[in-house]
CSV table of all heavy atoms in Angstrom, one decimal:
chain,number,residue,atom,x,y,z
A,181,TYR,N,-2.4,-14.7,3.3
A,181,TYR,CA,-3.9,-14.7,3.3
A,181,TYR,C,-4.3,-15.3,2.0
A,181,TYR,O,-5.3,-16.2,2.0
A,181,TYR,CB,-4.5,-13.3,3.3
A,181,TYR,CG,-5.9,-13.2,3.0
A,181,TYR,CD1,-6.8,-13.6,4.0
A,181,TYR,CD2,-6.5,-12.9,1.8
A,181,TYR,CE1,-8.2,-13.8,3.8
A,181,TYR,CE2,-7.8,-12.9,1.6
A,181,TYR,CZ,-8.6,-13.3,2.5
A,181,TYR,OH,-10.0,-13.3,2.2
A,182,ILE,N,-3.7,-15.1,0.9
A,182,ILE,CA,-4.1,-15.7,-0.4
A,182,ILE,C,-3.7,-17.3,-0.3
A,182,ILE,O,-4.6,-18.1,-0.7
A,182,ILE,CB,-3.3,-15.2,-1.6
A,182,ILE,CG1,-3.7,-13.7,-1.8
A,182,ILE,CG2,-3.4,-16.0,-2.9
A,182,ILE,CD1,-2.8,-12.9,-2.7
A,183,LEU,N,-2.7,-17.7,0.3
A,183,LEU,CA,-2.4,-19.1,0.5
A,183,LEU,C,-3.5,-19.8,1.3
A,183,LEU,O,-4.0,-20.9,1.1
A,183,LEU,CB,-1.1,-19.3,1.1
A,183,LEU,CG,0.1,-19.1,0.1
A,183,LEU,CD1,1.4,-19.1,0.9
A,183,LEU,CD2,0.1,-20.2,-0.9
A,184,GLU,N,-3.9,-19.1,2.4
A,184,GLU,CA,-5.0,-19.6,3.3
A,184,GLU,C,-6.3,-19.8,2.5
A,184,GLU,O,-7.0,-20.7,2.7
A,184,GLU,CB,-5.2,-18.6,4.5
A,184,GLU,CG,-4.2,-18.6,5.5
A,184,GLU,CD,-4.3,-17.5,6.5
A,184,GLU,OE1,-5.5,-16.8,6.7
A,184,GLU,OE2,-3.3,-17.1,7.2
A,185,THR,N,-6.6,-18.8,1.6
A,185,THR,CA,-7.9,-19.1,0.9
A,185,THR,C,-7.8,-20.2,-0.1
A,185,THR,O,-8.7,-20.8,-0.3
A,185,THR,CB,-8.2,-17.7,0.1
A,185,THR,OG1,-7.3,-17.5,-0.9
A,185,THR,CG2,-8.5,-16.6,1.0
A,186,ILE,N,-6.6,-20.4,-0.7
A,186,ILE,CA,-6.4,-21.6,-1.6
A,186,ILE,C,-6.6,-22.9,-0.7
A,186,ILE,O,-7.2,-23.7,-1.2
A,186,ILE,CB,-5.0,-21.5,-2.2
A,186,ILE,CG1,-4.9,-20.3,-3.2
A,186,ILE,CG2,-4.7,-22.8,-2.9
A,186,ILE,CD1,-3.5,-20.0,-3.7
A,187,GLU,N,-6.0,-22.8,0.4
A,187,GLU,CA,-6.0,-24.1,1.3
A,187,GLU,C,-7.6,-24.3,1.7
A,187,GLU,O,-8.0,-25.4,1.7
A,187,GLU,CB,-5.2,-23.9,2.5
A,187,GLU,CG,-4.7,-25.2,3.1
A,187,GLU,CD,-3.7,-25.0,4.2
A,187,GLU,OE1,-2.6,-24.7,3.9
A,187,GLU,OE2,-4.1,-25.2,5.4
A,188,ARG,N,-8.1,-23.2,2.1
A,188,ARG,CA,-9.6,-23.3,2.6
A,188,ARG,C,-10.5,-23.7,1.4
A,188,ARG,O,-11.4,-24.6,1.7
A,188,ARG,CB,-10.0,-21.9,3.0
A,188,ARG,CG,-11.5,-21.8,3.4
A,188,ARG,CD,-11.9,-20.4,3.6
A,188,ARG,NE,-12.1,-19.8,2.3
A,188,ARG,CZ,-11.9,-18.5,1.9
A,188,ARG,NH1,-11.6,-17.6,3.0
A,188,ARG,NH2,-12.0,-18.1,0.8
A,189,ASP,N,-10.3,-23.2,0.2
A,189,ASP,CA,-11.2,-23.4,-0.8
A,189,ASP,C,-10.9,-24.8,-1.7
A,189,ASP,O,-11.8,-25.4,-2.3
A,189,ASP,CB,-11.4,-22.3,-1.8
A,189,ASP,CG,-11.9,-21.0,-1.1
A,189,ASP,OD1,-12.5,-21.2,0.0
A,189,ASP,OD2,-11.8,-19.9,-1.7
A,190,PHE,N,-9.7,-25.1,-1.7
A,190,PHE,CA,-9.3,-26.3,-2.5
A,190,PHE,C,-8.7,-27.5,-1.7
A,190,PHE,O,-8.3,-28.5,-2.2
A,190,PHE,CB,-8.3,-25.8,-3.6
A,190,PHE,CG,-8.9,-24.8,-4.6
A,190,PHE,CD1,-8.6,-23.4,-4.3
A,190,PHE,CD2,-9.8,-25.2,-5.5
A,190,PHE,CE1,-9.1,-22.5,-5.1
A,190,PHE,CE2,-10.2,-24.2,-6.4
A,190,PHE,CZ,-10.0,-22.9,-6.2
A,191,GLY,N,-8.5,-27.3,-0.4
A,191,GLY,CA,-8.0,-28.3,0.4
A,191,GLY,C,-6.5,-28.4,0.3
A,191,GLY,O,-5.9,-27.5,-0.4
A,192,GLU,N,-5.8,-29.2,1.1
A,192,GLU,CA,-4.4,-29.3,1.1
A,192,GLU,C,-3.7,-30.1,-0.1
A,192,GLU,O,-2.6,-30.2,-0.2
A,192,GLU,CB,-4.0,-29.8,2.5
A,192,GLU,CG,-4.3,-28.9,3.6
A,192,GLU,CD,-3.8,-29.5,4.9
A,192,GLU,OE1,-2.8,-30.2,4.9
A,192,GLU,OE2,-4.4,-29.1,5.9
A,193,ASP,N,-4.6,-30.6,-1.1
A,193,ASP,CA,-4.2,-31.3,-2.1
A,193,ASP,C,-3.4,-30.5,-3.1
A,193,ASP,O,-2.5,-31.0,-3.9
A,193,ASP,CB,-5.3,-31.9,-2.9
A,193,ASP,CG,-6.2,-32.7,-2.0
A,193,ASP,OD1,-5.7,-33.1,-0.9
A,193,ASP,OD2,-7.4,-32.9,-2.3
A,194,VAL,N,-3.7,-29.2,-3.1
A,194,VAL,CA,-3.2,-28.2,-4.1
A,194,VAL,C,-1.6,-27.9,-3.9
A,194,VAL,O,-1.2,-27.8,-2.9
A,194,VAL,CB,-3.9,-26.9,-4.1
A,194,VAL,CG1,-3.4,-26.0,-5.3
A,194,VAL,CG2,-5.4,-27.2,-4.3
Side-chain angles (χ1 to χ4, degrees):
Y181 173 73
I182 294 168
L183 286 170
E184 287 170 17
T185 66
I186 292 171
E187 202 172 289
R188 177 194 72 207
D189 297 342
F190 298 99
E192 294 183 24
D193 307 338
V194 183

